[in-house]
Amino acid sequence: PPPAIIAPSILSADFGALGKACSDTIGQGADWLHVDIMDGHFVPNITFGAPVVTKIRSHVDRPKQAFAKGTFDCHMMISEPKKWVKDFVKAGCDLYCFHYEAAMNSTAAESPEVESDKKTSPKELIKYIHDQGIRAGIAIKPKTDVSVLYDILDSSNEEEVPDMVLVMTVEPGFGGQKFMPDMMPKVEALRKRYPDLNIEVDGGLSEKTIDTAAAAGANVIVAGSAVFGAQDPADVIQKLRDAVDK
Ligand code: DX5
Ligand code: ZN
């Protein structure tokens, strides 16, 4: 599997001093920042939008290569993922990870009369994100079967293939929830089919749960409360990394 990428979720950082929290976390050894965008519609919570991302972006050096240190991994828990791509690219998002469920329902959720062929398919959306010059990720909620992703990952058109898959290990919406070990068969199935794929897990990751996630084959590790709630965040980041790379 690819090497560990540790992506602290700034959802658990001090929102009153977010810029400093971002630069501190990178200084403590984080690879990426995981930026949770919630619209109060796709999930029952609201965080912040592109103007805030623009402001915090300047606190962290922009990565020169794809997936390098300083990557802004924007987890888009929003109902209309296509609508916000350009704003987030401008704001400095490097990886735009949308939810499969939102892409499938986007237009339909607002206007059920719209025919299914007018919806943005996940493949179209991935191509659209790539066309804007950034990487694309696709996320699945706990109740979504992993097999829905196979057709997308197997696309013969490289532009339609996501650069990362996010397997949610909690119901999206809030930090500090309990890790769902029953999501691990999804990670195992993905790792078996796609040895080189970047597989991200998000929700309830800590020193207690990392071994389970690493054994299943996850390599991109999101951790919010475990990092920002720690006495020694650098130590937690190192332990998460060691558990994946061992
Ligand atoms: C939940 C978010 C997560 C959250 C994880 O909807 O997607 O990124 O910040 O928080 P912890 O690590 O505390 O479970
Ligand atoms: Zn997240």
Side-chain angles (χ1 to χ4, degrees), residues 89 110 125-126 133 167 213:
V89 170
E110 299 304 322
L125 184 48
I126 291 161
V167 175

Side-chain angles (χ1 to χ4, degrees), residues 53-161:
V53 176
T54 303
K55 287 295 178 185
I56 60 177
R57 180 72 271 187
S58 65
H59 290 254
V60 175
D61 288 339
R62 203 79 200 263
K64 287 179 189 70
Q65 277 174 321
F67 281 24
K69 191 175 174 88
T71 289
F72 268 38
D73 164 27
C74 295
H75 177 195
M76 308 305 294
M77 288 165 274
I78 62 174
S79 292
E80 293 188 82
K82 189 172 181 191
K83 189 171 169 182
W84 301 100
V85 173
K86 287 187 175 171
D87 280 18
F88 276 79
V89 170
K90 253 189 233 150
C93 164
D94 304 292
L95 167 61
Y96 189 97
C97 185
F98 65 91
H99 267 269
Y100 169 83
E101 303 84 1
M104 293 307 282
N105 294 318
S106 52
T107 329
E110 299 304 322
S111 10
E113 70 278 7
V114 175
E115 305 136 57
S116 59
D117 63 6
K118 301 247 170 68
K119 296 180 206 165
T120 310
S121 78
K123 284 184 193 173
E124 279 166 356
L125 184 48
I126 291 161
K127 183 173 184 315
Y128 181 76
I129 295 164
H130 284 153
D131 285 346
Q132 313 305 315
I134 62 165
R135 307 285 146 167
I138 186 163
I140 51 170
K141 298 208 282 181
K143 291 192 184 87
T144 302
D145 204 286
V146 70
S147 62
V148 301
L149 299 176
Y150 296 162
D151 172 63
I152 303 167
L153 287 160
D154 294 341
S155 171
S156 54
N157 181 351
E158 226 179 74
E159 286 297 297
E160 294 177 347
V161 178

Side-chain angles (χ1 to χ4, degrees), residues 9-12 34-36 38 43 75 77 99 166 168 170-179 202-206 222-227:
S9 163
I10 60 170
L11 183 62
S12 291
H34 182 84
V35 181
D36 286 306
M38 306 187 189
V43 287
H75 177 195
M77 288 165 274
H99 267 269
L166 165 52
M168 288 304 297
V170 296
E171 283 295 341
F174 301 91
Q177 303 183 79
K178 205 170 162 283
F179 177 77
D202 180 13
L205 273 301
S206 70
V222 177
S225 47
V227 169

